[in-house]
């Protein structure tokens, strides 16, 4: 994907700043979105565990059937090198070992990452909770009722209140459930990108930086195997640039704002400037 011209220009004006890539999409009608968050096609407490088909690596995650089945796998079926499982069947303890997610992948699945404290050291286990027909059907239904692509449509059109309303509804639903696991994953992903931009627009820069940090910290640290934090940060900066362009902020003024804001976002996301710049240049194309 090629970085938008508005972002390339702002980053050039910012000098030592960061980079951006495409933002994403927006909103379904409130009633449909609420229904998507509340109604499930099946109860994942009742499904049988299913493990076949994956090795537990990032490239071949363990296919499971919902969050509870994922926790049960990590707590009961996973074996450390040399044998044994430190959770001894405690699914709640296993759920606390989830350190973030990779994704969404090509199928729109968020691949969860667990750090299991094995005797010889922590082992990363990658689990796909959408790895069964029931969860695939649930994911498809979520997309139909709360299409995350619509978030970008509203954002690009400057309908920021609609984006904000949808994202607040998702956050409230996640708080009510005590988890975001059952929310439409792509919508949550995109809200995490758009929220900092909306807070910046409201003049709440400090809150925007905190929100960016919270989103970034939900993904694994930057490593040769995982660049999702960098990609998310690029999306956030791009969303801010797109918003300023839509608001007709002069390019030089936008560059100065970005020069002041970007170091704060980099620190919040624990991403170094060089890594960010390289990723931006790769996203910008030739």
């Amino acid at each position: 994907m090629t970085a938008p011209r508005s972002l390339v220009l702002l980053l050039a004006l910012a000098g030592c700043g960061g980079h951006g890539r495409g933002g994403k999409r927006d909103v379904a009608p409130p009633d449909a979105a609420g229904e998507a968050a509340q109604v499930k096609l099946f109860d994942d407490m009742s499904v049988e565990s299913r493990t076949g088909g994956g090795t537990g690596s990032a490239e071949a995650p363990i296919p499971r059937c919902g969050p509870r089945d994922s926790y049960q796998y990590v707590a009961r079926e996973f074996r450390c090198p040399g044998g044994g499982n430190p959770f001894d069947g405690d699914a709640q303890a296993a759920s606390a070992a989830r350190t973030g997610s990779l994704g969404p992948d090509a199928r729109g699945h968020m691949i969860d990452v667990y750090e299991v404290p094995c005797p010889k050291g922590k082992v990363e286990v990658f689990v796909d909770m959408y790895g069964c027909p029931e969860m695939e059907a649930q994911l498809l239904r979520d997309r139909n009722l709360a299409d995350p692509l619509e978030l970008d449509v509203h954002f690009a059109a400057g309908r920021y209140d609609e984006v904000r309303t949808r994202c607040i509804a998702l956050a409230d639903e996640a708080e009510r459930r005590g988890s975001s696991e059952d929310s439409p994953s792509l919508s949550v992903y995109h809200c995490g990108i758009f929220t900092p931009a909306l807070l910046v627009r409201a003049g709440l820069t400090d809150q925007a930086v905190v929100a960016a940090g919270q989103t970034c910290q939900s993904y694994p640290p930057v490593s040769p195997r995982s660049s999702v934090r960098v990609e998310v940060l690029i999306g956030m900066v791009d969303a801010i640039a797109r918003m300023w362009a839509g608001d007709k902020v002069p390019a030089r003024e936008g560059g100065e704002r970005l020069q002041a804001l970007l170091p704060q976002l980099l620190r919040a996301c624990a991403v170094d400037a060089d890594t960010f710049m390289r990723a931006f240049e790769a996203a910008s194309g030739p």
Side-chain angles (χ1 to χ4, degrees), residues 210-248:
V210 170
Q214 290 173 339
T215 294
C216 287
Q217 297 301 325
S218 70
Y219 298 102
V222 178
S223 70
R225 184 165 55 186
S226 175
S227 62
V228 67
R229 275 198 199 186
V230 184
E231 294 168 3
V232 166
L233 180 55
I234 286 174
M236 291 176 185
V237 176
D238 175 60
I240 293 169
R242 294 168 62 199
M243 178 188 69
W244 285 341
D247 288 345
K248 302 295 191 288

Side-chain angles (χ1 to χ4, degrees), residues 20-206:
R21 184 166 66 184
K24 320 253 167 159
R25 320 151 177 157
D26 193 26
V27 158
D31 290 342
E35 181 183 359
Q38 295 175 23
V39 181
K40 298 181 66 178
L41 292 179
F42 76 107
D43 180 0
D44 70 314
M45 293 183 68
S46 66
V47 300
E48 295 182 1
S49 292
R50 26 191 116 180
T51 308
T55 64
S57 67
E59 296 75 21
I62 298 293
R64 305 304 289 184
C65 204
R68 295 181 185 88
D69 189 39
S70 300
Y71 304 151
Q72 289 170 2
Y73 167 78
V74 176
R76 300 174 184 174
E77 299 180 40
F78 172 77
R79 289 294 177 266
C80 291
N85 185 308
F87 299 120
D88 195 27
D90 186 343
Q92 184 173 357
S95 71
R98 178 181 173 275
T99 59
S101 299
L102 304 179
D105 66 10
R107 298 170 297 169
H109 294 197
M110 303 294 282
I111 306 302
D112 292 324
V113 186
Y114 295 81
E115 283 192 355
V116 181
C118 291
K120 295 183 180 180
K122 291 182 179 179
V123 175
E124 284 188 329
V125 182
F126 297 83
V127 178
D128 179 2
M129 78 169 185
Y130 294 99
C132 66
E134 294 91 341
M135 283 300 290
E136 279 281 2
Q138 181 67 41
L139 186 61
L140 177 61
R141 182 175 181 276
D142 288 340
R143 288 173 181 160
N144 290 339
L145 291 178
D147 186 353
L149 299 184
E150 292 184 12
L151 284 171
D152 196 50
V153 172
H154 288 292
F155 191 91
R159 295 192 287 270
Y160 302 121
D161 286 344
E162 295 193 42
V163 179
R164 180 174 176 273
T165 297
R166 170 61 178 149
C167 290
I168 288 175
L170 280 175
D172 288 347
E173 180 63 20
E175 183 176 359
R176 183 184 71 79
R177 293 174 181 235
S179 168
S180 62
E181 297 288 355
D182 294 327
S183 299
S185 60
L186 284 174
S187 293
V188 172
Y189 177 83
H190 295 153
C191 284
I193 286 175
F194 287 132
T195 295
L198 298 177
L199 290 169
V200 166
R201 192 171 191 270
L204 303 172
T205 301
D206 290 346

